[in-house]
Amino acid sequence: MTFEELRTRWPWRPIRNCPGRLVLPRLEPPVSFEMLLGMPCSPQAFSSHQTKDRVLVWPLQDGGLITYEQPDGRSIHTLNTPAGFTRKIDQLGITLPKTKNLSKE
C-alpha cells in the first residue's frame, strides 16, 4: 500500500499548519489499522512523552501512518508524506529501528 493508494481510498483531510500530514475523520464503525491497509498487520507501538496516547506506526515506502490510540478506545489515524512522517516521528521522540520496509510484506 502506498501513500497515494491510501490517500484516494479514504476521506483524509489536511491537518491545519502541518504540511504533509492528513487525518482521517471519525468514521462509524471505527476503522482499524487492518481496515486502513486492507491486510493483516502488526504496527510498531510506542509511548511518547509528547502525548498520553499510545502511538502506532506503520512506515510506507513513500511516507507512513501514525495512529494515536486514545484512552477511550478511539483511534486517530494520520497519513503522512515522507517529510511529514519524519517531522512528526522526530517531534514524538520516536526512533524507528532500521528494518525492511513493512509495506512490502
Side-chain angles (χ1 to χ4, degrees), residues 14-29:
I15 300 174
R16 181 181 285 178
N17 298 322
C18 291
R21 300 193 68 232
L22 307 166
V23 66
L24 188 65
R26 189 173 186 177
L27 301 174
E28 291 298 332

Side-chain angles (χ1 to χ4, degrees), residues 12 17 22 38 42 44 53 59 70-71 78 80 88:
W12 302 97
N17 298 322
L22 307 166
S42 296
Q44 299 172 66
D53 303 332
Q70 298 190 309
T78 66
N80 306 271
K88 191 61 184 180

Side-chain angles (χ1 to χ4, degrees), residues 29-67:
V31 177
S32 69
F33 230 99
E34 290 79 12
M35 289 171 67
L36 276 177
L37 292 169
M39 65 180 185
C41 64
S42 296
Q44 299 172 66
F46 299 92
S47 57
S48 168
H49 63 282
Q50 296 294 325
T51 180
K52 64 182 181 290
D53 303 332
R54 187 167 87 134
V55 180
L56 302 178
V57 176
W58 187 268
L60 299 169
Q61 190 172 359
D62 53 351
L65 285 168
I66 301 172
T67 295

